[in-house]
Amino acid sequence: LTIGERQNYELNLKGSGQTQYSRNGDGLVTFRSAAREFLAAEYLHGLNIPTTRSLALWASDLQAWRAAPDGTNYAAPERTGLLARFGTALSLRFGTLELAAARGDSILLNQIVDFALDTIFSTSRTGEASSKRAELVLLTADRTARLAAYFDVFGFVHGVLNTDNFCLAGEALDFGPFAFVETEYDLSPNLSDRTGRYRRTKQVSAFRSAVAHLGDALGQHNSGHIFETLYENRRNELWCARFALRMNEDNARLALTIADAILAVPELDFSNTLRKLILDRIVPLELSSSPCVLEYIDRISRFERDHPVSAHKALEYALNFLNPVFVLRNSVIHDAIESFFATEDPADIQLLIEASSRPFDHEWLQKNLPSSFLEPSVQGRIPGQSLLSCSS
């Protein structure tokens, strides 16, 4: 429910009850789901990923009937909540334009295009309708490619990437059964995803498909190819930066190969292994003879020897912006929410919110977080914890 706008930001309530668009739903949100969205938004913002933000989270005594958090088919009562969030033109989703196009409403479609160009991108409204549509597709494809690249480099799996969960502003939104990759190569945290549609290795395809659908709605049928080029450039830049390497295709391929090698070893945690490798050159035993890792050690050593100032700046950037100390793990979120349910004390959730806002601050995190918050989950793929239904 949108309750206001300010400086192009749209203020929205999630879980406030039925509206005319609720169809057969009750318009409520479980507290578990609202808390997860609050935390996901704050953590992505802490990683400098474009995202909607959360303003406030309330818990209610009202119960709603939902599929159980572990994905079982029977309904179970879940405590509800209310989330206040904001984002840039939050209601303008890809699906908004698809719906207008499907209805053949070219007047509404052009009005949305004009509004988006003016509100989101601050560009002129002059020109033919077709040129403005093409401009909107290009600008949106670029922001969406940037978002896809960030998801890839940080190992974030959204879990429900349909076109209603993409906004024209290129901000991440609507976080349900999300997860950050820990040890599983082809993670899908969505218990309802029986076909693997939303798993990690298909996520970029979901981004491309969404942009292609947007382009089709606006008569720009090459938008999928435009996205691919933009995404590859963005992805290569970020992966080179995460490994503190100069930006070129060869270094990007090496970085991606190492990331895949880490994820191929079930015993290795993705984020912690990368940070130790990049910061301290600590190579896990499982990768000690890996050609790609040995090549990386050689390249980074030569970079530091031949260009010490540039190499130092690259390493500093990699550690302060692309290799977090704190990873928002589903097991930790689950424990914090369960603690609140048991005690009515939100202290653990508040601590996670604070940690999510400063994921690179090694000194603060080591001082204020329990060690269990910084270590990989030992529980594995447990329904209701690392695997979640859309309603949880």
Side-chain angles (χ1 to χ4, degrees), residues 230-241:
L230 294 168
Y231 166 72
E232 185 174 335
N233 291 336
R234 295 275 192 176
R235 179 202 64 188
N236 288 351
E237 289 173 4
L238 283 173
W239 273 114
C240 287

Side-chain angles (χ1 to χ4, degrees), residues 293-306:
V293 173
L294 297 176
E295 175 62 24
Y296 170 68
I297 298 296
D298 180 62
R299 284 191 198 182
I300 200 70
S301 299
R302 284 188 281 114
F303 185 26
E304 291 171 337
R305 182 193 66 209
D306 298 339

Side-chain angles (χ1 to χ4, degrees), residues 9 38 79 88 130 181 195 216 238 278 285 302 352 373:
Y9 287 118
F38 195 116
R79 189 172 178 180
T88 307
S130 59
V181 170
T195 63
D216 289 343
L238 283 173
I278 295 161
L285 181 62
R302 284 188 281 114
L352 281 183
F373 279 33

Side-chain angles (χ1 to χ4, degrees), residues 7 170 184-185 220 243 331 346:
Q7 297 177 341
E184 186 173 352
Y185 180 83
Q220 309 298 314
F243 276 83
S331 56

